[in-house]
Amino acid sequence: MRRVFSGMQPSGEPHLGNLLGAWVSWVSLQDDAECIFCVVDLHAITSPAEHDPATLRSRTLQLATGMLAVGIDPSRSTLFVQSHLHEHAECTWLFNCVAGFGELRKMPQFREKSEGRGESVSAGLFDYPVLQAADILLYHADEVPVGEDQRHHIELARDIGQRFNHRFGEVFTLPKAVHPPAGARVMDLQDPTVKMSKSASSEKGIVRVLDDPDRVVKKFRSAVTDSDAVIRHDREAKPGVSNLLEILAAVTGRGVDDLVDEYAGQGYGTFKAAVAEAVVERLTPIRRRYDELADDPGEVTRILADGAQRARAIAAPTLREAKEAVGLLLPA
Ligand code: TYM
């Protein structure tokens, strides 16, 4: 059975992009792959703006609760918190000695996040993709289901794994990124030229997975479109309408062309209301399940403890093999 690994940062409340770009595929992959999912808290501390200790702790538990609410099934999948396994940080060090300064400096997300921050950028932010490579490679993952924005990070993980294997012998499996057919790049509703992101400046452009129906409807009603009043898919010329079409396709499982045919000739108001309704329908059971699970945080921490144990059973032998391959003297 092929193995799948993916992770999400506990930075900010999860939004529609996280749901459609990642969670929906995670849930369906559980039917035919061995799945391992991780709350990547060590990644979340690389951006100082998001690093308030008490907030980080509660968001870590909330994100794990969200994953369960969305349909991650702990009886079939492994769900754990990254920092519960020292293996991730330790493997990162081995990879730091294989990864190049030049390739890390060029990573698009590092360039975006470090822009305008001069010398104050943390070394952790720079090293972020190396930790991500350790996350994936420790588990011999074949597939990594992610949104489009993670493409470069998965390619780098592949490059690091390949270089390590070439230098020290075949230890790591080379992974590939997999993206959902629709929803791999959900855009901000107020500025559809940028991706929906946990840290966007205006809440109006971000639909949170736990938003109540009224908020969802309001956000879609005020979504930025264009002035030509034609419903068709063209990311360049009509980014707002195209984004709404893709969101509707992702939540209903229908094709974009099919939706264009159905809504042809209708006004933007009607179309936006239909998208909002479909999204509310998708989010409502998740919100209900979240509320139930949040009443029993002890159960969530128990699931995470069990997940850490199962994860360690895979990660620890891989790390040992990598250390041995590098030539570190293993303790007696
Ligand atoms: P993060 O926490 O930013 O996002 C989690 C997942 O959500 C996807 N995503 C989106 N998909 C579509 N449209 C959007 N607007 C959108 N915004 C976010 C992301 O692509 C991702 O799949 N570096 C990773 C976390 C990570 C990881 C890993 C992922 C750490 N280790 C190992 C996979 C494997 C990140 O920042 O995701």
Side-chain angles (χ1 to χ4, degrees), residues 266-296:
Q266 301 205 27
Y268 282 171
T270 314
F271 174 56
K272 285 181 184 177
V275 181
E277 193 185 321
V279 170
V280 166
E281 205 170 299
R282 189 75 179 76
L283 297 185
T284 299
I286 299 173
R287 218 181 50 251
R288 293 217 177 104
R289 182 81 187 111
Y290 183 91
D291 290 342
E292 284 167 21
L293 288 160
D295 275 346
D296 191 359

PDB file of all heavy atoms in Angstrom, residues 266-296:
ATOM      1  N   GLN A 266     -26.887  34.109 -15.837  1.00  0.00           N
ATOM      2  CA  GLN A 266     -27.393  34.546 -14.533  1.00  0.00           C
ATOM      3  C   GLN A 266     -26.503  35.672 -13.985  1.00  0.00           C
ATOM      4  O   GLN A 266     -25.340  35.796 -14.342  1.00  0.00           O
ATOM      5  CB  GLN A 266     -27.378  33.386 -13.557  1.00  0.00           C
ATOM      6  CG  GLN A 266     -28.227  32.227 -14.071  1.00  0.00           C
ATOM      7  CD  GLN A 266     -28.737  31.354 -12.941  1.00  0.00           C
ATOM      8  OE1 GLN A 266     -28.895  31.814 -11.819  1.00  0.00           O
ATOM      9  NE2 GLN A 266     -29.006  30.113 -13.239  1.00  0.00           N
ATOM     10  N   GLY A 267     -27.069  36.473 -13.106  1.00  0.00           N
ATOM     11  CA  GLY A 267     -26.321  37.601 -12.541  1.00  0.00           C
ATOM     12  C   GLY A 267     -25.313  37.121 -11.508  1.00  0.00           C
ATOM     13  O   GLY A 267     -25.419  36.020 -10.971  1.00  0.00           O
ATOM     14  N   TYR A 268     -24.331  37.990 -11.225  1.00  0.00           N
ATOM     15  CA  TYR A 268     -23.309  37.645 -10.225  1.00  0.00           C
ATOM     16  C   TYR A 268     -23.926  37.425  -8.839  1.00  0.00           C
ATOM     17  O   TYR A 268     -23.449  36.605  -8.066  1.00  0.00           O
ATOM     18  CB  TYR A 268     -22.256  38.754 -10.134  1.00  0.00           C
ATOM     19  CG  TYR A 268     -21.242  38.734 -11.272  1.00  0.00           C
ATOM     20  CD1 TYR A 268     -20.340  39.787 -11.414  1.00  0.00           C
ATOM     21  CD2 TYR A 268     -21.168  37.684 -12.166  1.00  0.00           C
ATOM     22  CE1 TYR A 268     -19.398  39.792 -12.425  1.00  0.00           C
ATOM     23  CE2 TYR A 268     -20.229  37.675 -13.193  1.00  0.00           C
ATOM     24  CZ  TYR A 268     -19.337  38.731 -13.320  1.00  0.00           C
ATOM     25  OH  TYR A 268     -18.408  38.739 -14.316  1.00  0.00           O
ATOM     26  N   GLY A 269     -24.999  38.201  -8.534  1.00  0.00           N
ATOM     27  CA  GLY A 269     -25.629  38.084  -7.207  1.00  0.00           C
ATOM     28  C   GLY A 269     -26.129  36.668  -6.975  1.00  0.00           C
ATOM     29  O   GLY A 269     -25.864  36.056  -5.925  1.00  0.00           O
ATOM     30  N   THR A 270     -26.846  36.128  -7.953  1.00  0.00           N
ATOM     31  CA  THR A 270     -27.395  34.769  -7.846  1.00  0.00           C
ATOM     32  C   THR A 270     -26.257  33.745  -7.750  1.00  0.00           C
ATOM     33  O   THR A 270     -26.304  32.812  -6.943  1.00  0.00           O
ATOM     34  CB  THR A 270     -28.226  34.442  -9.122  1.00  0.00           C
ATOM     35  OG1 THR A 270     -29.065  35.555  -9.386  1.00  0.00           O
ATOM     36  CG2 THR A 270     -29.028  33.187  -8.969  1.00  0.00           C
ATOM     37  N   PHE A 271     -25.248  33.957  -8.577  1.00  0.00           N
ATOM     38  CA  PHE A 271     -24.123  33.024  -8.611  1.00  0.00           C
ATOM     39  C   PHE A 271     -23.392  33.005  -7.263  1.00  0.00           C
ATOM     40  O   PHE A 271     -23.118  31.938  -6.688  1.00  0.00           O
ATOM     41  CB  PHE A 271     -23.185  33.433  -9.757  1.00  0.00           C
ATOM     42  CG  PHE A 271     -21.916  32.639  -9.821  1.00  0.00           C
ATOM     43  CD1 PHE A 271     -21.939  31.248  -9.908  1.00  0.00           C
ATOM     44  CD2 PHE A 271     -20.680  33.288  -9.816  1.00  0.00           C
ATOM     45  CE1 PHE A 271     -20.758  30.507  -9.972  1.00  0.00           C
ATOM     46  CE2 PHE A 271     -19.506  32.558  -9.884  1.00  0.00           C
ATOM     47  CZ  PHE A 271     -19.539  31.168  -9.954  1.00  0.00           C
ATOM     48  N   LYS A 272     -23.108  34.197  -6.733  1.00  0.00           N
ATOM     49  CA  LYS A 272     -22.396  34.265  -5.445  1.00  0.00           C
ATOM     50  C   LYS A 272     -23.213  33.588  -4.340  1.00  0.00           C
ATOM     51  O   LYS A 272     -22.658  32.906  -3.476  1.00  0.00           O
ATOM     52  CB  LYS A 272     -22.159  35.722  -5.053  1.00  0.00           C
ATOM     53  CG  LYS A 272     -21.062  36.404  -5.836  1.00  0.00           C
ATOM     54  CD  LYS A 272     -20.950  37.814  -5.295  1.00  0.00           C
ATOM     55  CE  LYS A 272     -19.973  38.669  -6.025  1.00  0.00           C
ATOM     56  NZ  LYS A 272     -19.960  40.045  -5.490  1.00  0.00           N
ATOM     57  N   ALA A 273     -24.541  33.796  -4.388  1.00  0.00           N
ATOM     58  CA  ALA A 273     -25.402  33.189  -3.360  1.00  0.00           C
ATOM     59  C   ALA A 273     -25.344  31.659  -3.471  1.00  0.00           C
ATOM     60  O   ALA A 273     -25.335  30.956  -2.449  1.00  0.00           O
ATOM     61  CB  ALA A 273     -26.845  33.679  -3.518  1.00  0.00           C
ATOM     62  N   ALA A 274     -25.261  31.151  -4.696  1.00  0.00           N
ATOM     63  CA  ALA A 274     -25.196  29.692  -4.885  1.00  0.00           C
ATOM     64  C   ALA A 274     -23.878  29.138  -4.354  1.00  0.00           C
ATOM     65  O   ALA A 274     -23.844  28.076  -3.719  1.00  0.00           O
ATOM     66  CB  ALA A 274     -25.357  29.354  -6.366  1.00  0.00           C
ATOM     67  N   VAL A 275     -22.799  29.883  -4.585  1.00  0.00           N
ATOM     68  CA  VAL A 275     -21.490  29.425  -4.085  1.00  0.00           C
ATOM     69  C   VAL A 275     -21.527  29.410  -2.548  1.00  0.00           C
ATOM     70  O   VAL A 275     -21.122  28.430  -1.905  1.00  0.00           O
ATOM     71  CB  VAL A 275     -20.331  30.321  -4.591  1.00  0.00           C
ATOM     72  CG1 VAL A 275     -18.990  29.806  -4.079  1.00  0.00           C
ATOM     73  CG2 VAL A 275     -20.316  30.402  -6.120  1.00  0.00           C
ATOM     74  N   ALA A 276     -22.052  30.506  -1.982  1.00  0.00           N
ATOM     75  CA  ALA A 276     -22.111  30.609  -0.518  1.00  0.00           C
ATOM     76  C   ALA A 276     -22.925  29.451   0.057  1.00  0.00           C
ATOM     77  O   ALA A 276     -22.510  28.814   1.042  1.00  0.00           O
ATOM     78  CB  ALA A 276     -22.730  31.946  -0.116  1.00  0.00           C
ATOM     79  N   GLU A 277     -24.043  29.149  -0.566  1.00  0.00           N
ATOM     80  CA  GLU A 277     -24.905  28.082  -0.046  1.00  0.00           C
ATOM     81  C   GLU A 277     -24.175  26.726  -0.079  1.00  0.00           C
ATOM     82  O   GLU A 277     -24.231  25.957   0.886  1.00  0.00           O
ATOM     83  CB  GLU A 277     -26.168  28.012  -0.910  1.00  0.00           C
ATOM     84  CG  GLU A 277     -27.263  27.176  -0.283  1.00  0.00           C
ATOM     85  CD  GLU A 277     -28.464  27.035  -1.236  1.00  0.00           C
ATOM     86  OE1 GLU A 277     -28.797  28.027  -1.922  1.00  0.00           O
ATOM     87  OE2 GLU A 277     -29.022  25.925  -1.291  1.00  0.00           O
ATOM     88  N   ALA A 278     -23.490  26.467  -1.176  1.00  0.00           N
ATOM     89  CA  ALA A 278     -22.767  25.187  -1.296  1.00  0.00           C
ATOM     90  C   ALA A 278     -21.643  25.104  -0.258  1.00  0.00           C
ATOM     91  O   ALA A 278     -21.402  24.043   0.332  1.00  0.00           O
ATOM     92  CB  ALA A 278     -22.200  25.031  -2.698  1.00  0.00           C
ATOM     93  N   VAL A 279     -20.986  26.234  -0.012  1.00  0.00           N
ATOM     94  CA  VAL A 279     -19.896  26.230   0.975  1.00  0.00           C
ATOM     95  C   VAL A 279     -20.469  26.024   2.384  1.00  0.00           C
ATOM     96  O   VAL A 279     -19.944  25.227   3.174  1.00  0.00           O
ATOM     97  CB  VAL A 279     -19.053  27.527   0.874  1.00  0.00           C
ATOM     98  CG1 VAL A 279     -18.074  27.644   2.034  1.00  0.00           C
ATOM     99  CG2 VAL A 279     -18.294  27.568  -0.457  1.00  0.00           C
ATOM    100  N   VAL A 280     -21.564  26.716   2.678  1.00  0.00           N
ATOM    101  CA  VAL A 280     -22.192  26.552   4.001  1.00  0.00           C
ATOM    102  C   VAL A 280     -22.579  25.089   4.214  1.00  0.00           C
ATOM    103  O   VAL A 280     -22.339  24.512   5.281  1.00  0.00           O
ATOM    104  CB  VAL A 280     -23.434  27.477   4.134  1.00  0.00           C
ATOM    105  CG1 VAL A 280     -24.297  27.077   5.332  1.00  0.00           C
ATOM    106  CG2 VAL A 280     -23.002  28.937   4.249  1.00  0.00           C
ATOM    107  N   GLU A 281     -23.125  24.486   3.181  1.00  0.00           N
ATOM    108  CA  GLU A 281     -23.540  23.081   3.282  1.00  0.00           C
ATOM    109  C   GLU A 281     -22.339  22.175   3.580  1.00  0.00           C
ATOM    110  O   GLU A 281     -22.436  21.226   4.340  1.00  0.00           O
ATOM    111  CB  GLU A 281     -24.171  22.672   1.954  1.00  0.00           C
ATOM    112  CG  GLU A 281     -25.146  21.516   2.085  1.00  0.00           C
ATOM    113  CD  GLU A 281     -25.902  21.331   0.775  1.00  0.00           C
ATOM    114  OE1 GLU A 281     -26.615  22.274   0.353  1.00  0.00           O
ATOM    115  OE2 GLU A 281     -25.718  20.266   0.172  1.00  0.00           O
ATOM    116  N   ARG A 282     -21.191  22.508   2.982  1.00  0.00           N
ATOM    117  CA  ARG A 282     -19.979  21.709   3.182  1.00  0.00           C
ATOM    118  C   ARG A 282     -19.412  21.925   4.591  1.00  0.00           C
ATOM    119  O   ARG A 282     -18.890  21.013   5.216  1.00  0.00           O
ATOM    120  CB  ARG A 282     -18.939  22.138   2.128  1.00  0.00           C
ATOM    121  CG  ARG A 282     -17.718  21.289   2.034  1.00  0.00           C
ATOM    122  CD  ARG A 282     -18.060  19.985   1.340  1.00  0.00           C
ATOM    123  NE  ARG A 282     -16.905  19.102   1.199  1.00  0.00           N
ATOM    124  CZ  ARG A 282     -16.368  18.380   2.177  1.00  0.00           C
ATOM    125  NH1 ARG A 282     -16.869  18.442   3.402  1.00  0.00           N
ATOM    126  NH2 ARG A 282     -15.332  17.602   1.956  1.00  0.00           N
ATOM    127  N   LEU A 283     -19.508  23.187   5.085  1.00  0.00           N
ATOM    128  CA  LEU A 283     -18.862  23.517   6.363  1.00  0.00           C
ATOM    129  C   LEU A 283     -19.708  23.129   7.582  1.00  0.00           C
ATOM    130  O   LEU A 283     -19.154  22.855   8.651  1.00  0.00           O
ATOM    131  CB  LEU A 283     -18.545  25.017   6.436  1.00  0.00           C
ATOM    132  CG  LEU A 283     -17.550  25.569   5.400  1.00  0.00           C
ATOM    133  CD1 LEU A 283     -17.257  27.041   5.689  1.00  0.00           C
ATOM    134  CD2 LEU A 283     -16.238  24.773   5.418  1.00  0.00           C
ATOM    135  N   THR A 284     -21.028  23.129   7.424  1.00  0.00           N
ATOM    136  CA  THR A 284     -21.887  22.943   8.606  1.00  0.00           C
ATOM    137  C   THR A 284     -21.588  21.649   9.388  1.00  0.00           C
ATOM    138  O   THR A 284     -21.379  21.711  10.608  1.00  0.00           O
ATOM    139  CB  THR A 284     -23.375  23.058   8.204  1.00  0.00           C
ATOM    140  OG1 THR A 284     -23.549  24.371   7.669  1.00  0.00           O
ATOM    141  CG2 THR A 284     -24.306  22.856   9.394  1.00  0.00           C
ATOM    142  N   PRO A 285     -21.539  20.488   8.729  1.00  0.00           N
ATOM    143  CA  PRO A 285     -21.243  19.276   9.530  1.00  0.00           C
ATOM    144  C   PRO A 285     -19.857  19.308  10.174  1.00  0.00           C
ATOM    145  O   PRO A 285     -19.670  18.767  11.267  1.00  0.00           O
ATOM    146  CB  PRO A 285     -21.329  18.132   8.507  1.00  0.00           C
ATOM    147  CG  PRO A 285     -21.426  18.754   7.164  1.00  0.00           C
ATOM    148  CD  PRO A 285     -21.796  20.187   7.320  1.00  0.00           C
ATOM    149  N   ILE A 286     -18.905  19.980   9.529  1.00  0.00           N
ATOM    150  CA  ILE A 286     -17.549  20.060  10.107  1.00  0.00           C
ATOM    151  C   ILE A 286     -17.612  20.890  11.393  1.00  0.00           C
ATOM    152  O   ILE A 286     -17.039  20.526  12.417  1.00  0.00           O
ATOM    153  CB  ILE A 286     -16.555  20.708   9.108  1.00  0.00           C
ATOM    154  CG1 ILE A 286     -16.458  19.871   7.827  1.00  0.00           C
ATOM    155  CG2 ILE A 286     -15.179  20.905   9.745  1.00  0.00           C
ATOM    156  CD1 ILE A 286     -15.630  20.501   6.714  1.00  0.00           C
ATOM    157  N   ARG A 287     -18.334  22.021  11.323  1.00  0.00           N
ATOM    158  CA  ARG A 287     -18.438  22.890  12.507  1.00  0.00           C
ATOM    159  C   ARG A 287     -19.108  22.160  13.669  1.00  0.00           C
ATOM    160  O   ARG A 287     -18.680  22.242  14.815  1.00  0.00           O
ATOM    161  CB  ARG A 287     -19.202  24.164  12.143  1.00  0.00           C
ATOM    162  CG  ARG A 287     -18.642  25.387  12.816  1.00  0.00           C
ATOM    163  CD  ARG A 287     -19.383  26.658  12.498  1.00  0.00           C
ATOM    164  NE  ARG A 287     -20.801  26.552  12.682  1.00  0.00           N
ATOM    165  CZ  ARG A 287     -21.689  26.524  11.681  1.00  0.00           C
ATOM    166  NH1 ARG A 287     -21.295  26.586  10.435  1.00  0.00           N
ATOM    167  NH2 ARG A 287     -22.974  26.426  11.939  1.00  0.00           N
ATOM    168  N   ARG A 288     -20.177  21.406  13.354  1.00  0.00           N
ATOM    169  CA  ARG A 288     -20.895  20.659  14.412  1.00  0.00           C
ATOM    170  C   ARG A 288     -19.972  19.627  15.063  1.00  0.00           C
ATOM    171  O   ARG A 288     -19.907  19.508  16.285  1.00  0.00           O
ATOM    172  CB  ARG A 288     -22.099  19.925  13.810  1.00  0.00           C
ATOM    173  CG  ARG A 288     -23.153  20.886  13.317  1.00  0.00           C
ATOM    174  CD  ARG A 288     -24.563  20.345  13.568  1.00  0.00           C
ATOM    175  NE  ARG A 288     -25.516  21.356  13.130  1.00  0.00           N
ATOM    176  CZ  ARG A 288     -26.222  21.277  11.997  1.00  0.00           C
ATOM    177  NH1 ARG A 288     -26.110  20.214  11.220  1.00  0.00           N
ATOM    178  NH2 ARG A 288     -27.043  22.239  11.660  1.00  0.00           N
ATOM    179  N   ARG A 289     -19.269  18.891  14.219  1.00  0.00           N
ATOM    180  CA  ARG A 289     -18.379  17.839  14.727  1.00  0.00           C
ATOM    181  C   ARG A 289     -17.245  18.471  15.553  1.00  0.00           C
ATOM    182  O   ARG A 289     -16.840  17.930  16.578  1.00  0.00           O
ATOM    183  CB  ARG A 289     -17.817  17.054  13.530  1.00  0.00           C
ATOM    184  CG  ARG A 289     -16.937  15.909  13.873  1.00  0.00           C
ATOM    185  CD  ARG A 289     -17.729  14.651  14.257  1.00  0.00           C
ATOM    186  NE  ARG A 289     -16.844  13.608  14.745  1.00  0.00           N
ATOM    187  CZ  ARG A 289     -16.788  13.178  16.006  1.00  0.00           C
ATOM    188  NH1 ARG A 289     -17.597  13.674  16.922  1.00  0.00           N
ATOM    189  NH2 ARG A 289     -15.929  12.246  16.365  1.00  0.00           N
ATOM    190  N   TYR A 290     -16.772  19.633  15.097  1.00  0.00           N
ATOM    191  CA  TYR A 290     -15.708  20.329  15.814  1.00  0.00           C
ATOM    192  C   TYR A 290     -16.177  20.665  17.231  1.00  0.00           C
ATOM    193  O   TYR A 290     -15.467  20.440  18.216  1.00  0.00           O
ATOM    194  CB  TYR A 290     -15.294  21.609  15.076  1.00  0.00           C
ATOM    195  CG  TYR A 290     -14.147  22.320  15.755  1.00  0.00           C
ATOM    196  CD1 TYR A 290     -12.832  22.037  15.416  1.00  0.00           C
ATOM    197  CD2 TYR A 290     -14.389  23.245  16.775  1.00  0.00           C
ATOM    198  CE1 TYR A 290     -11.783  22.661  16.073  1.00  0.00           C
ATOM    199  CE2 TYR A 290     -13.342  23.864  17.438  1.00  0.00           C
ATOM    200  CZ  TYR A 290     -12.038  23.580  17.084  1.00  0.00           C
ATOM    201  OH  TYR A 290     -11.004  24.178  17.741  1.00  0.00           O
ATOM    202  N   ASP A 291     -17.406  21.197  17.322  1.00  0.00           N
ATOM    203  CA  ASP A 291     -17.927  21.572  18.639  1.00  0.00           C
ATOM    204  C   ASP A 291     -18.016  20.368  19.573  1.00  0.00           C
ATOM    205  O   ASP A 291     -17.687  20.461  20.757  1.00  0.00           O
ATOM    206  CB  ASP A 291     -19.301  22.244  18.499  1.00  0.00           C
ATOM    207  CG  ASP A 291     -19.176  23.634  17.865  1.00  0.00           C
ATOM    208  OD1 ASP A 291     -18.049  24.178  17.860  1.00  0.00           O
ATOM    209  OD2 ASP A 291     -20.189  24.160  17.366  1.00  0.00           O
ATOM    210  N   GLU A 292     -18.436  19.239  19.032  1.00  0.00           N
ATOM    211  CA  GLU A 292     -18.518  18.018  19.863  1.00  0.00           C
ATOM    212  C   GLU A 292     -17.129  17.609  20.354  1.00  0.00           C
ATOM    213  O   GLU A 292     -16.928  17.344  21.532  1.00  0.00           O
ATOM    214  CB  GLU A 292     -19.054  16.842  19.041  1.00  0.00           C
ATOM    215  CG  GLU A 292     -20.549  16.863  18.782  1.00  0.00           C
ATOM    216  CD  GLU A 292     -20.931  15.834  17.680  1.00  0.00           C
ATOM    217  OE1 GLU A 292     -20.154  14.875  17.432  1.00  0.00           O
ATOM    218  OE2 GLU A 292     -21.986  16.037  17.067  1.00  0.00           O
ATOM    219  N   LEU A 293     -16.178  17.585  19.417  1.00  0.00           N
ATOM    220  CA  LEU A 293     -14.825  17.141  19.774  1.00  0.00           C
ATOM    221  C   LEU A 293     -14.155  18.112  20.746  1.00  0.00           C
ATOM    222  O   LEU A 293     -13.404  17.692  21.632  1.00  0.00           O
ATOM    223  CB  LEU A 293     -13.966  17.017  18.516  1.00  0.00           C
ATOM    224  CG  LEU A 293     -14.284  15.850  17.585  1.00  0.00           C
ATOM    225  CD1 LEU A 293     -13.740  16.111  16.185  1.00  0.00           C
ATOM    226  CD2 LEU A 293     -13.675  14.562  18.141  1.00  0.00           C
ATOM    227  N   ALA A 294     -14.433  19.401  20.568  1.00  0.00           N
ATOM    228  CA  ALA A 294     -13.796  20.406  21.417  1.00  0.00           C
ATOM    229  C   ALA A 294     -14.263  20.285  22.871  1.00  0.00           C
ATOM    230  O   ALA A 294     -13.582  20.744  23.789  1.00  0.00           O
ATOM    231  CB  ALA A 294     -14.083  21.806  20.874  1.00  0.00           C
ATOM    232  N   ASP A 295     -15.399  19.622  23.080  1.00  0.00           N
ATOM    233  CA  ASP A 295     -15.889  19.392  24.444  1.00  0.00           C
ATOM    234  C   ASP A 295     -15.069  18.336  25.170  1.00  0.00           C
ATOM    235  O   ASP A 295     -15.215  18.158  26.369  1.00  0.00           O
ATOM    236  CB  ASP A 295     -17.345  18.869  24.389  1.00  0.00           C
ATOM    237  CG  ASP A 295     -18.326  20.017  24.293  1.00  0.00           C
ATOM    238  OD1 ASP A 295     -17.894  21.158  24.544  1.00  0.00           O
ATOM    239  OD2 ASP A 295     -19.498  19.754  23.951  1.00  0.00           O
ATOM    240  N   ASP A 296     -14.262  17.585  24.426  1.00  0.00           N
ATOM    241  CA  ASP A 296     -13.503  16.501  25.045  1.00  0.00           C
ATOM    242  C   ASP A 296     -12.038  16.565  24.599  1.00  0.00           C
ATOM    243  O   ASP A 296     -11.547  15.683  23.883  1.00  0.00           O
ATOM    244  CB  ASP A 296     -14.149  15.151  24.630  1.00  0.00           C
ATOM    245  CG  ASP A 296     -13.604  13.990  25.443  1.00  0.00           C
ATOM    246  OD1 ASP A 296     -12.725  14.219  26.311  1.00  0.00           O
ATOM    247  OD2 ASP A 296     -14.037  12.854  25.200  1.00  0.00           O
TER     248      ASP A 296
END
